[in-house]
Amino acid sequence: MPNSIQFDLFAPRNQKAALIGSFSNWKEIPMEKGEDGYFRTQIELEDGVYQYKFRIQTKSPNFKPDQWVEVIDPYATDVDETQKTGVLRIKEGKQVVDTYVWQHDDTLLPNNHEIVIYEMHVADFSGGENDSEKRGKYVDAIAKLDYLCELGINAIELMPVNEYPGDYSWGYKVRHYFATESSYGSTEDLKRFIDECHARGIRVFLDGIYNHTDEECPLMLIDRNYWYYEHMHYPEDQANYWGPEFNYDNYDELLDVKPAWKFVGDVVRYWVQEYHIDGIRFDAVRQLANDKFLDWLAKQAKKNAAPKPFYNIAENIPDTSAITTPEGPLDACWHESFRYFIVPHICGESFEIEKLKEVLDPKRQGYESTTNVINYLATHDREHLFRELGERGIFDEAAFGRAKLAAVVLMTAMGIPMLWMGEEFGEHKRKSEKVTQPKKIAWPLLERDFNRDLFEYYKKVIALRKQNSALQSNTIEFFHENPEAKVLAYVRGNDQGSRVVVVANFSDKVLNGYHVPNFPGAGIWHEWMGNYDIEAEEEGLTIDIGGYEAKVLVWQ
């Protein structure tokens, strides 16, 4: 039996609009405009799948005045890019995204301070491991979730999964905000991926692109200057212009609405409610530059996710504590300065104790807590550590040794650690020069002894990071520094509870019988990575440390 289905299009400054679709043989169905700025019409539809779009007299300056254009619904939850239409599903008389039934909503998920994040690009993560042409899909990523569990990952940060132009991209030019990237699989596949993550205690964060859009985003075709800045937001910073930028300052007095706030707020609410996501990484926050809006948006996200934990993360480069709580709008910031200073130390190019201490203890940079920073050695935007080492002529056993030192520093510094996919086993492919150039990670590397050994090392130090509350605390104390020997030692935690000590050697010299004075406690300590006990005396600890090695000592 047919049911009445309503179609809405918000376009307050446009004169006329009509609906066309497979249900009307692509003939126009007039739409009435209300005083609230919406064009509306209702039609009778049986259950089924339909294609549709709107015709509208555009207000965008790149067309003739009031020229009729065809646009896909900006709120379409599925699109057919080849046909340039929205896809509508009706079931039991109602519009649905799909019929997926969530299985694991009740699973307890880790809190923000407990997580280890894995940044993933679906197309390059997995799928046909020995076929460089085959793009990965959600089903392939699901098949690898047990591998991530074994590694110890309990949060995945997905690079953008909104529908973008073409079939391969990093996804940072979004065209359709409510639709998912079809080359990765269906909406059910994405929900199943998230559900399967939740079943394993893994949270899922999405990359949110709210600074700019693709040039053919439907809002651009309807009325560009209503939602976007007419010109470049920051003309003096052309290197960081990636497309038409949302104008969060524009206010429609007549309707008492901020158009860009309304649209992006609807986007975030939809993704939290429909896809049960657990956090958002906000792209290009420095360019977006509107703390008031970000504060509102972050609160909306948390409100819609409650009572589950939610994490709002800024990509603000260079990083700054001004963007994070308690003073700033978001929970955390990608800690670019961590990578910037740690990598040269791992590569043996510098030894600046004060710089090291500054990024290992972000409180020295103005951050308040461990959840305010996301530490990393590499991201999709930065080269893998092995590429950095190789470019400096450091290969083979020497490279793997230094990667282990980097792993310890990453997992024991104050902050939330994040791995870029493949980092855990020594992936070394150069990062994509173009965002449309596939770079699948090389899973066969895991069959090599050095690479498998690095994976096992990461597994071990991640397990400590998750098990030991000292490494999730807001305390870090540097108790020994030796600029001549390039040794730095610090303790996480306090006298009352767990304590973890790291003694790191940033030189290639083997330090046999190295004396560490002012050690945080006399007694038996367990060296976690080598799995043996060692006794600290009242006057300190004496230990053997290899070149570019860290000892990790856990209070027994």
Side-chain angles (χ1 to χ4, degrees), residues 85 87 144 193-194 207 233 249 305 362 439 490 508 537:
T85 64
V87 178
K144 285 279 185 200
F193 171 79
I194 294 168
D207 220 328
H233 191 187
D249 299 320
K439 287 275 182 178
Y490 52 91
D508 56 5
E537 309 288 344

Side-chain angles (χ1 to χ4, degrees), residues 120-126 135-138 141 158-159 161 184:
M120 179 191 295
H121 183 239
V122 173
D124 283 343
F125 177 59
S126 63
R135 302 276 68 82
K137 295 178 180 288
Y138 298 124
L158 288 176
M159 283 170 68
V161 296
Y184 298 163

Side-chain angles (χ1 to χ4, degrees), residues 239-311:
N240 289 309
Y241 177 80
W242 299 289
E245 296 158 317
F246 282 120
N247 181 354
Y248 293 110
D249 299 320
N250 185 34
Y251 172 60
D252 183 336
E253 282 187 39
L254 199 65
L255 295 178
D256 185 28
V257 68
K258 291 178 174 176
W261 285 48
K262 178 188 180 311
F263 179 74
V264 175
D266 289 347
V267 168
V268 167
R269 181 170 61 250
Y270 172 78
W271 278 90
V272 172
Q273 292 178 345
E274 187 67 32
Y275 287 95
H276 301 202
I277 62 168
D278 311 293
I280 296 172
R281 178 254 193 200
F282 292 78
D283 183 62
V285 163
R286 187 170 71 89
Q287 287 69 34
L288 192 151
N290 192 316
D291 284 7
K292 204 170 174 184
F293 165 69
L294 286 168
D295 182 63
W296 173 81
L297 193 61
K299 283 175 178 156
Q300 292 291 310
K302 286 192 171 176
K303 190 173 81 180
N304 284 294
K308 287 198 313 176
F310 202 85
Y311 206 15

Side-chain angles (χ1 to χ4, degrees), residues 67-88:
Q67 180 182 332
W68 284 92
V69 297
E70 293 186 353
V71 296
I72 296 174
D73 182 357
Y75 284 75
T77 58
D78 191 7
V79 298
D80 184 333
E81 263 290 335
T82 51
Q83 301 294 322
K84 302 290 181 204
T85 64
V87 178
L88 174 71

Side-chain angles (χ1 to χ4, degrees), residues 200-218:
R200 293 163 174 80
I202 299 172
R203 288 171 63 184
V204 180
F205 306 152
L206 281 198
D207 220 328
I209 320 303
Y210 311 131
N211 172 64
H212 58 278
T213 74
D214 179 62
E215 285 77 5
E216 288 184 46
C217 179

Side-chain angles (χ1 to χ4, degrees), residues 303-466:
K303 190 173 81 180
N304 284 294
K308 287 198 313 176
F310 202 85
Y311 206 15
N312 290 303
I313 303 165
E315 185 229 20
N316 193 107
I317 295 177
D319 65 88
T320 171
S321 61
I323 202 72
T324 63
T325 50
E327 303 300 325
L330 303 178
D331 299 317
C333 187
W334 268 25
H335 198 195
E336 177 69 9
S337 55
F338 179 88
R339 180 191 180 278
Y340 186 82
F341 289 111
I342 294 297
V343 170
H345 282 82
I346 300 299
C347 293
E349 289 185 339
S350 65
F351 187 72
E352 299 177 74
I353 279 185
E354 290 312 310
K355 290 294 183 198
L356 265 180
K357 283 154 66 174
E358 201 174 281
V359 294
L360 293 171
D361 178 10
K363 293 201 294 285
R364 293 170 183 238
Q365 297 173 308
Y367 295 99
E368 183 167 270
S369 76
T370 203
T371 54
N372 282 160
V373 293
I374 309 295
N375 294 327
Y376 50 83
L377 301 165
T379 69
H380 69 272
D381 258 337
R382 301 288 180 258
E383 296 290 5
H384 277 293
L385 178 62
F386 272 77
R387 170 61 53 178
E388 299 279 5
L389 289 164
E391 287 184 348
R392 292 159 176 83
I394 303 161
F395 298 104
D396 304 324
E397 195 169 353
F400 283 95
R402 295 190 196 213
K404 288 177 178 178
L405 169 60
V408 168
V409 171
L410 176 64
M411 293 298 158
T412 61
M414 189 177 146
I416 302 302
M418 181 177 81
L419 290 173
W420 169 225
M421 58 182 194
E423 192 71 16
E424 71 277 11
F425 59 74
E427 175 58 89
H428 55 265
K429 273 198 188 82
R430 188 182 295 283
K431 87 178 183 75
S432 297
E433 293 303 315
K434 301 192 193 92
V435 296
T436 53
Q437 177 191 6
K439 287 275 182 178
K440 285 183 74 167
I441 59 173
W443 290 101
L445 286 174
L446 265 174
E447 293 159 23
R448 299 180 182 176
D449 290 346
F450 277 141
N451 300 77
R452 170 54 68 173
D453 181 52
L454 179 61
F455 171 81
E456 295 295 337
Y457 196 88
Y458 259 107
K459 218 166 96 176
K460 204 164 185 183
V461 72
I462 288 171
L464 180 65
R465 169 73 178 64
K466 286 164 64 186

